[in-house]
Structure formats: structure tokens, C-alpha cells
């Protein structure tokens, strides 16, 4: 009968066994396409996704045999809740095929995009990919026109080709969400946080970080005006979006040489890595050792064999954007990335290895609990370890600090903190605004012909950056960012950037660290490692406040640890910008012709 918990548990076991067959097949087909984008592989991917959606639908129907919402056993009840939550698989087959096709089209456009007509090129038909070429130009060029070419060209070759597919995706994703009992797809995405007034909570965290961001923004704007003297900056106070060292202005680390408080004391880890002939594999070995020295798990033997850690040189198209893959069979775990030998990529390697460590720690949970406590937790693990790896103290330990540099030098420490701020504080508004835009699109508040106008309203208002060239409603600049065509929700990174400092604070305490938070390196602390492992083992079997409590002893997200971490730099910035006007108008203003 519908309340027979014993029979229900037997069914849950059968579901797990079946899921550990169906999911690996779908993952394998998706992996094959991601590492070799061809029409043939796309058809196989669609087939496998169709098969998985049919399994999900069948399973959902079987959950109706049980009165699981009234089960008293919490664990079983939670498994049924997750199994019944089948997302886009709820769509009838033809609509499921349509939404999968629309997503594949956009992913393919994004990953194959190349930009031609580079200023100064003899051959205007020579075309360049994002990774590594355009990324390197955005990182290193100080030529306004070259930066504008890469910035505008990338948007022409990606976002501008997507609005129709994106509109189709939104329509069908909303239809699926409605069938699953949500008001729209944004409501469905937010449900993974199981948090009352989640949007309000995010807004409060963002407001708590605004003043810190305004200080960094005012400082960067002042120095960029000096670097690009004679070029137009808008009177409304925004920074032209192509000057921040990154295609989306989401991370300003490449401006370190311009913005370091003490330029004479560089943190030139990339140069040190190259001088020491670092390879991709050495970067991964370094990262893996940090995890195992904490008492966490090593990579399984086949990991290195099966992963794609470098951009293939045989000319095939691949999805270069870094990602970590769980095949849900407790055996196969992979990373796919187009690694370059730089400090940024060493950090990214730790980020992706953090995902795999989480997979390994919760691999014996029921399949539906093999997720982060909330999506932000999954994004935070690798970054927490990287907070220790990046310290001058740790860099010295692994011989990536110049021999003549003293890790305790206070000026070097301030340079280090600036470097961290250019990645962690600079990111905050960007991490916040992408899903502010998408949630409004899913709510129907932003129509297709307003996609780009609303995108720039948010970019100018929250991030204080504006377009370097005129934008039109035929542009779709949101589509120039991987996660939009790839349908990866983004508020998870904003959450991660807040909670990773709460985790860092708690683990540093566990590791017995004394002194300023930004100097802490938890390396080799098995006490800290055990605490992190205990949290990861939970997967999504418990609501995330339980997981938060397992590490930090408290149950809420808050920005106080991030602010504590950057306190010494905040004081320095306040002095640096005391004659500047902080902030900018909500509106974009105009700088083009
Ligand atoms: C922050 C985010 N990280 C990721 O995708 O792994 C990004 O790159 O935009
Ligand atoms: Zn990630």
C-alpha cells in the first residue's frame, strides 16, 4: 500500500541501481560531444538525453504509487522529493527534443565562435578563438582599439546569433517549470536553495558588499583613466567594459601590474611557473597533493587517463570552458579544461579539483543526493583551498615566490591582498547580476526585444561598467557569457564567493591559525580536512544550513568574514580614493561617437 515504507525503500534501491546505469550513459554521450563537437556526436547526445528523460518520467510516475509526502522517515521522503523533481524531463518528447536542440545550438555557436579582421592583420580572414587568443588580448593589451575589436567581435560571433534559440529555450523551460508546480524556471532554479525569500537574502548580501566594491571600482577607474588618457570615459562614472583585463570584466586580476600598491614587489607567479617549465600535469599534481595533505581523497587511477586537461591540437571543436564531471557510477570522474600555464589556471585547476573531491566524498550517497548542499557549496570547495595556496607563505613553500622575496613583507602582503580583491571583490556585482537578469526573463518581465537593454541596465547599475561601443537590441550580450547559452545558473558563484570566506575562517580556526585571516594557510591540517570532508559527505542529503553548521558552527550566509579578510586593503583604498567620487549613475551614459 501507499504507506508501506519497507516496500518504498526497496523501490528506492531499484531506482538507484537503474539510475547508476542510465546517468553514466547520458554523461558519456554528453562528454563525447563536449570533447568533439560534431553533428554525429550531437545526435548521439540528443538520443541519450531523450533516454534519460524517459527514465526520469517513468520514475516520477512510479513515485505516485507512494504517499511519500507524508512519510515520517526524513531521508526516504527527501529521496522521493528529489526523484520527483525531474526538471525539463517533464516535457512531452517533442518539446523535450526542441529545448535540447535549442540549447545544443547555442552551446555549439559559443564553443565554435572565432573573431576575424584583427586590426593590423595582413590577412583579414584570419580568425581567433576565445581560448587562448582573445582571453590573452583582453588580459595583456593596453591598446583601446584592439581591446574594442576583441570585445565587440566576440559579442558579434556569440550572443548576436542566439536570441531566437534563447527565446525558445525560455518558453519551454518555463513550460516545464509550470508542469512541475513552479511559477517559472527562475522559481525552479531558486528552489534548490530551499530558502525562504532567497532573492531578498541575496540582495542583502550584495548590499553588504557594495561599499567595498565601490572603493575598488573608484581606484581602478582612477588608474585606468591615467593609462587611457585621451580616451572617452562616460561622465556617468562607469568604466568602459573592455578595459578590466577580462572579456566580461568579471575578474580584474590582469590589472595587477597597474593596480598593485607596491609595483616594485610583484607577485609574478605565472613567470615563475614558466621559468620552472610547469606543465598541465604538474599543476594538477600540485593541486591533488594539497587535497591529500589535508587527508582528503586522491584522484582515482583512470581520472588522468580519461580527462581532457589540454586543448586538443587536432583541430576538433571542443567546449573549452572548464568543468568537472561526475558519471554517477562511483568510478568515473573527469575534468575537461583547456589549461594554460598561468596562475589564474592554477587557481581554476583547484576550483575544478574541488568539484571532483566533492564527488568522491559523497559517492556512496543515493544518486539523487550526489549534489552540493546547495549549488554554491559545490563552487566553493576548490576556491577555499586556493585561498591558502595563493598566500605568499604557501607560494614560498612551493617555490613560486621569487627567492629574494620575504613572504612576511607587509608591502608584499598588501600586494597579495590587492590581487585577491581584483578577483574576489571585483566579481561580486557580476556574480549577482547574471541571474537577476535571467530571473526577470523567466518571469516574463524582460521580453526578447528588451534582452540587451535590461542586460546593460544591470551592468551599468550594479557593476559600474558600460559598453565601449554602441549597443543595439539586435545584440544579445548576455549570450557572450558561457553560462547563458550553456544554461548554467550563476547565483551559485555569488553564493560561493561569500561562503568560501566563512569556510576559510572556520577551517583556519580548526587549523590553529593565529593572526590576520588573509595570511592563513590550512595546508596539511588534517583537522581542517576532516571538517571539510564531513560536510562534503552529506551531499544534498540534508538542507544546506546543516552543512554550513558542520563547518562553521552557524547556519546563515553572511559577508562579515569576507570583509574581515580584506580589512587591511579597505583602509589602504580609502586613503587612495579620498579625492575621488565613489560610485556611478544608474544609467549607462554615453562614450561612443
Ligand atoms: C566564476 C565562473 N566559474 C566557473 O564557470 O567555473 C566563471 O568562470 O564565470
Ligand atoms: Zn565550478
Amino acid at each position: 500500500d501507499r504507506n508501506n515504507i519497507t516496500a518504498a525503500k526497496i523501490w528506492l534501491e531499484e531506482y538507484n541501481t537503474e539510475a547508476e546505469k542510465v546517468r553514466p550513459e547520458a554523461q558519456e554521450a554528453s562528454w563525447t560531444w563536449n570533447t568533439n563537437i560534431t553533428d554525429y556526436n550531437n545526435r548521439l547526445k540528443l538520443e541519450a538525453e531523450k533516454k534519460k528523460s524517459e527514465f526520469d518520467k517513468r520514475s516520477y510516475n512510479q513515485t505516485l504509487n507512494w504517499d511519500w509526502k507524508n512519510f515520517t522517515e526524513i531521508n526516504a521522503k527527501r529521496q522521493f522529493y528529489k526523484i520527483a523533481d525531474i526538471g525539463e524531463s517533464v516535457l512531452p518528447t517533442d518539446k523535450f527534443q526542441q529545448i535540447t536542440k535549442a540549447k545544443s545550438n547555442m552551446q555549439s555557436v559559443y564553443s565554435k565562435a572565432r573573431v576575424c579582421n584583427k586590426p593590423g592583420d595582413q590577412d583579414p580572414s584570419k580568425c581567433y578563438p576565445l581560448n587562448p587568443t582573445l582571453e590573452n588580448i583582453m588580459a595583456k593589451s593596453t591598446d583601446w582599439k584592439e581591446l574594442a575589436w576583441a570585445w565587440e567581435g566576440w559579442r558579434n560571433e556569440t550572443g548576436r546569433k542566439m536570441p531566437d534559440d534563447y527565446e525558445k529555450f525560455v518558453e519551454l523551460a518555463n513550460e516545464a517549470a509550470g508542469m512541475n508546480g513552479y511559477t517559472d524556471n527562475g522559481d525552479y532554479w531558486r528552489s534548490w536553495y530551499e530558502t525562504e525569500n532567497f532573492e531578498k537574502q541575496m540582495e542583502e548580501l550584495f548590499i553588504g558588499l557594495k561599499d567595498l566594491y565601490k572603493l575598488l571600482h573608484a581606484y581602478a577607474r582612477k588608474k585606468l583613466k591615467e593609462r587611457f588618457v585621451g580616451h572617452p570615459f562616460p561622465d556617468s562614472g562607469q568604466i568602459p567594459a573592455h578595459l578590466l583585463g577580462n572579456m566580461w570584466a568579471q575578474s580584474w586580476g590582469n590589472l595587477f601590474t597597474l593596480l598593485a600598491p607596491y609595483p616594485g614587489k610583484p607577485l609574478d607567479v605565472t613567470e615563475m611557473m614558466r621559468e620552472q617549465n610547469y606543465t598541465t600535469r604538474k599543476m594538477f599534481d600540485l593541486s591533488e597533493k594539497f587535497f591529500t595533505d589535508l587527508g582528503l581523497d586522491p584522484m582515482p587511477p583512470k581520472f588522468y587517463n580519461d580527462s581532457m586537461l589540454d586543448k586538443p591540437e587536432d583541430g576538433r571543436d571542443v567546449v573549452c570552458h572548464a568543468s568537472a564531471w561526475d558519471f554517477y557510477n562511483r568510478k568515473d570522474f573527469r575534468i575537461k579544461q583547456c589549461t594554460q600555464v598561468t596562475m589564474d589556471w592554477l587557481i581554476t585547476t583547484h576550483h575544478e579539483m574541488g568539484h571532483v573531491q566533492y564527488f568522491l566524498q559523497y559517492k556512496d550517497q543515493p544518486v539523487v543526493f550526489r549534489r552540493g548542499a546547495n549549488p554554491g557549496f559545490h563552487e566553493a570547495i576548490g576556491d577555499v583551498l586556493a585561498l591558502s595556496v595563493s598566500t605568499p607563505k604557501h607560494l614560498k613553500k612551493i617555490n613560486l615566490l621569487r627567492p629574494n622575496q620575504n613572504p612576511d613583507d607587509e608591502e608584499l602582503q598588501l600586494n597579495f591582498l590587492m590581487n585577491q580583491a581584483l578577483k574576489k571583490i571585483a566579481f561580486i556585482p557580476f556574480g549577482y547580476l547574471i541571474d537577476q537578469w535571467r530571473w526577470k526573463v523567466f518571469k516574463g518581465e524582460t521580453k526578447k526585444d528588451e534582452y540587451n537593454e535590461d542586460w546593460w541596465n544591470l551592468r551599468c547599475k550594479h557593476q559600474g561598467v558600460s559598453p565601449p561601443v554602441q549597443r543595439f537590441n539586435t545584440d544579445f550580450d548576455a549570450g557572450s557569457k558561457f553560462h547563458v547559452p550553456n544554461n548554467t545558473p550563476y547565483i551559485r558563484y555569488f553564493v560561493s564567493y561569500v561562503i568560501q570566506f566563512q569556510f576559510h575562517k572556520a577551517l583556519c580556526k580548526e587549523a590553529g591559525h593565529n593572526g590576520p585571516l588573509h595570511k592563513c594557510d590550512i595546508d596539511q591540517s588534517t583537522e581542517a580536512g576532516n571538517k571539510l570532508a564531513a560536510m562534503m559527505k552529506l551531499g544534498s542529503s540534508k538542507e544546506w544550513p546543516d552543512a554550513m553548521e558542520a563547518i562553521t558552527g552557524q547556519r546563515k550566509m553572511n559577508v562579515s568574514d569576507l570583509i574581515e579578510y580584506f580589512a587591511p586593503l579597505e583602509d589602504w583604498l580609502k586613503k587612495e580614493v579620498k579625492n575621488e567620487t565613489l560610485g556611478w549613475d544608474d544609467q549607462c551614459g554615453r562614450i561612443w561617437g
Side-chain angles (χ1 to χ4, degrees), residues 136 139-140 251-254 256 266-276 278-280 282-284 286-287 290 337-352 382-402 415-420 422-424 565:
N136 285 342
K140 297 194 181 67
S251 176
W252 304 351
N254 291 312
F256 178 72
L267 281 162
D268 48 358
V269 178
T270 298
E271 290 71 18
M272 292 288 282
M273 290 168 74
R274 290 183 173 156
E275 286 165 23
Q276 294 171 37
Y278 261 63
T279 61
T280 296
K282 180 156 171 43
M283 291 160 76
F284 275 86
L286 195 69
S287 177
F290 198 98
Q337 65 181 49
C338 301
T339 312
Q340 306 290 321
V341 177
T342 68
M343 179 59 177
D344 268 359
W345 275 97
L346 183 60
I347 301 298
T348 299
T349 297
H350 281 78
H351 176 89
E352 298 307 332
D383 285 14
V384 169
L385 274 68
L387 286 174
S388 288
V389 171
S390 319
T391 58
K393 183 170 125 190
H394 193 82
L395 292 175
K396 182 85 184 169
K397 205 188 287 183
I398 56 177
N399 193 28
L400 285 178
L401 200 67
R402 292 225 174 271
N415 278 356
F416 159 65
L417 212 40
M418 173 61 80
N419 203 28
Q420 293 296 90
L422 294 177
K423 287 175 264 190
K424 301 297 183 181
Y565 180 94

Side-chain angles (χ1 to χ4, degrees), residues 219-356:
Y219 173 62
R221 181 178 57 194
K222 175 182 146 204
K223 302 290 277 185
L224 284 167
K225 280 185 171 176
E226 291 165 12
R227 168 178 277 183
F228 291 102
V229 68
H231 285 279
F233 280 60
D235 299 337
S236 48
Q238 283 87 3
I239 299 173
H242 64 321
L243 305 181
L244 282 308
N246 172 275
M247 185 58 87
W248 307 278
Q250 73 180 73
S251 176
W252 304 351
N254 291 312
L255 297 185
F256 178 72
T257 48
L258 174 70
L259 301 178
Y262 301 95
K265 301 193 170 178
L267 281 162
D268 48 358
V269 178
T270 298
E271 290 71 18
M272 292 288 282
M273 290 168 74
R274 290 183 173 156
E275 286 165 23
Q276 294 171 37
N277 301 317
Y278 261 63
T279 61
T280 296
R281 180 59 192 257
K282 180 156 171 43
M283 291 160 76
F284 275 86
D285 290 346
L286 195 69
S287 177
E288 182 174 1
K289 186 174 183 312
F290 198 98
F291 281 92
T292 52
D293 284 354
L294 286 174
L296 296 171
D297 293 346
M299 289 300 114
K302 51 201 312 251
F303 168 78
Y304 287 105
N305 222 11
D306 298 348
S307 294
M308 182 195 99
L309 304 183
D310 291 301
K311 184 173 186 176
E313 290 167 355
D314 56 9
R316 74 183 120 126
D317 286 311
V318 300
V319 175
C320 256
H321 191 87
S323 58
W325 294 59
D326 185 350
F327 283 73
Y328 297 105
N329 58 12
R330 301 185 230 197
K331 289 196 309 291
D332 290 305
F333 307 91
R334 298 176 200 165
I335 285 174
K336 172 190 63 53
Q337 65 181 49
C338 301
T339 312
Q340 306 290 321
V341 177
T342 68
M343 179 59 177
D344 268 359
W345 275 97
L346 183 60
I347 301 298
T348 299
T349 297
H350 281 78
H351 176 89
E352 298 307 332
M353 291 285 266
H355 285 302
V356 179

Side-chain angles (χ1 to χ4, degrees), residues 182-210:
Y182 298 97
T183 46
D184 61 53
N185 199 43
D187 182 34
Y188 170 53
W189 282 5
R190 292 189 296 274
S191 72
W192 301 328
Y193 293 85
E194 299 173 290
T195 300
E196 281 302 302
N197 53 49
F198 180 69
E199 289 185 71
K200 190 90 192 91
Q201 278 206 31
M202 291 302 106
E203 187 188 18
E204 280 160 13
L205 294 175
F206 178 59
I207 289 167
L209 293 169
K210 255 186 194 167

Side-chain angles (χ1 to χ4, degrees), residues 278-530:
Y278 261 63
T279 61
T280 296
R281 180 59 192 257
K282 180 156 171 43
M283 291 160 76
F284 275 86
D285 290 346
L286 195 69
S287 177
E288 182 174 1
K289 186 174 183 312
F290 198 98
F291 281 92
T292 52
D293 284 354
L294 286 174
L296 296 171
D297 293 346
M299 289 300 114
K302 51 201 312 251
F303 168 78
Y304 287 105
N305 222 11
D306 298 348
S307 294
M308 182 195 99
L309 304 183
D310 291 301
K311 184 173 186 176
E313 290 167 355
D314 56 9
R316 74 183 120 126
D317 286 311
V318 300
V319 175
C320 256
H321 191 87
S323 58
W325 294 59
D326 185 350
F327 283 73
Y328 297 105
N329 58 12
R330 301 185 230 197
K331 289 196 309 291
D332 290 305
F333 307 91
R334 298 176 200 165
I335 285 174
K336 172 190 63 53
Q337 65 181 49
C338 301
T339 312
Q340 306 290 321
V341 177
T342 68
M343 179 59 177
D344 268 359
W345 275 97
L346 183 60
I347 301 298
T348 299
T349 297
H350 281 78
H351 176 89
E352 298 307 332
M353 291 285 266
H355 285 302
V356 179
Q357 188 61 222
Y358 217 152
F359 300 152
L360 295 171
Q361 291 295 335
Y362 61 44
K363 70 179 172 34
D364 297 319
Q365 283 284 357
V367 164
V368 287
F369 289 157
R370 296 183 203 166
R371 313 279 295 265
N374 75 40
F377 277 63
H378 231 299
E379 298 307 334
I381 305 302
D383 285 14
V384 169
L385 274 68
L387 286 174
S388 288
V389 171
S390 319
T391 58
K393 183 170 125 190
H394 193 82
L395 292 175
K396 182 85 184 169
K397 205 188 287 183
I398 56 177
N399 193 28
L400 285 178
L401 200 67
R402 292 225 174 271
N404 63 341
Q405 286 186 309
N406 166 8
D408 295 324
D409 176 297
E410 280 313 310
E411 294 180 351
L412 183 81
Q413 279 293 338
L414 202 67
N415 278 356
F416 159 65
L417 212 40
M418 173 61 80
N419 203 28
Q420 293 296 90
L422 294 177
K423 287 175 264 190
K424 301 297 183 181
I425 299 176
F427 179 79
I428 292 298
F430 186 76
Y432 178 72
L433 71 84
I434 289 199
D435 283 351
Q436 294 302 313
W437 178 81
R438 275 194 287 202
W439 292 342
K440 282 179 70 183
V441 170
F442 292 138
K443 282 174 186 166
E445 292 169 10
T446 300
K447 301 279 183 280
K448 181 174 154 192
D449 61 4
E450 298 158 325
Y451 280 171
N452 216 41
E453 186 182 345
D454 274 12
W455 171 256
W456 281 107
N457 287 343
L458 291 167
R459 285 266 273 177
C460 289
K461 179 174 186 228
H462 291 314
Q463 204 179 355
V465 299
S466 61
V469 296
Q470 185 150 10
R471 308 315 288 151
F472 302 93
N473 277 334
T474 44
D475 293 308
F476 177 44
D477 292 336
S480 74
K481 177 62 195 172
F482 173 82
H483 300 67
V484 173
N486 279 271
N487 193 36
T488 308
Y490 210 80
I491 199 71
R492 60 184 59 176
Y493 301 105
F494 175 78
V495 168
S496 160
Y497 276 51
V498 171
I499 64 177
Q500 66 186 246
F501 288 94
Q502 293 178 254
F503 294 173
H504 186 55
K505 175 96 183 275
L507 295 180
C508 288
K509 186 158 159 263
E510 197 65 30
H513 171 74
N514 294 307
L517 184 56
H518 70 279
K519 294 190 176 182
C520 165
D521 172 12
I522 63 170
D523 190 19
Q524 309 198 12
S525 164
T526 49
E527 298 83 356
N530 291 341

